[in-house]
């Protein structure tokens, strides 16, 4: 897998939190026979680690968490896979990126327990995906190559 290159965003998209990074170059990961691609320009806010758990787990932008988090956020936005498959990929990528099994299991359990609230795209999420698809298209690429299908 190519390394994740991100740019800190001074003024994130209005759909994102106050702190976000933007993917600087396309990122791809093979999952069995399928390749999951995260496009340049996608903004994400790191791992969803609550501040009270930072001492135990780590901060949202811990380098070992960034690739698993960007893929997980992308899959939650695009629904290319079922939610349980997206959560399993998050766990696999945590391990692949050097997160210990105990910590990865804790993070995965948290995602499985609390991620459901974020699975369904709200109107602002769908609007963000339309803006992102336009930006990708304006860059000469096909948003569908990334599993991005917007209505």
């Amino acid at each position: 897998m190519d390394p994740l290159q991100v740019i800190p965003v001074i003024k994130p998209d209005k759909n994102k939190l106050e702190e976000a990074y933007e993917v600087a170059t396309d990122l791809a990961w093979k999952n069995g026979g399928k390749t999951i691609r995260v496009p340049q320009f996608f903004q994400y806010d790191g791992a969803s680690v609550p501040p009270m758990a930072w001492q135990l787990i780590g901060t949202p932008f811990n380098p070992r968490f960034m690739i698993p988090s960007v893929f997980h956020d992308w899959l939650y936005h695009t629904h290319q896979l079922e939610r349980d498959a997206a959560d399993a990929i998050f766990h696999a990528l945590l391990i692949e990126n050097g997160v210990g099994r105990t910590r990865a299991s804790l993070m995965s359990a948290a995602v499985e327990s609390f991620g459901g609230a974020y699975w369904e795209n709200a109107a602002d999420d769908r609007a963000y995906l339309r803006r992102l698809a336009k930006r990708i298209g304006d860059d000469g690429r096909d948003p569908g190559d990334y599993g991005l299908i917007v209505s």
Side-chain angles (χ1 to χ4, degrees), residues 28-127:
W29 183 69
K30 285 197 181 282
N31 178 37
K34 180 179 173 113
T35 299
I36 300 167
R37 296 178 65 206
V38 178
Q40 176 186 8
F41 307 134
F42 177 61
Q43 291 183 11
Y44 80 114
D45 54 9
S48 299
V49 180
M52 64 185 181
W54 289 2
Q55 290 282 353
L56 176 65
I57 300 295
T59 62
F61 292 107
N62 177 316
R64 290 172 295 176
F65 303 164
M66 290 179 76
I67 286 175
S69 297
V70 76
F71 276 98
H72 192 253
D73 283 8
W74 182 247
L75 290 170
Y76 264 52
H77 271 79
T78 61
H79 296 172
Q80 296 175 54
L81 303 171
E82 296 295 324
R83 181 176 164 228
D84 60 341
D87 293 348
I89 286 171
F90 176 68
H91 185 266
L93 283 170
L94 286 169
I95 299 295
E96 188 175 306
N97 281 275
V99 176
R101 291 197 181 279
T102 301
R103 184 172 294 165
S105 293
L106 285 170
M107 293 176 74
S108 294
V111 163
E112 291 166 9
S113 296
F114 303 108
Y118 301 98
W119 177 252
E120 293 302 324
N121 287 330
D124 59 341
D125 295 319
R126 292 187 301 274

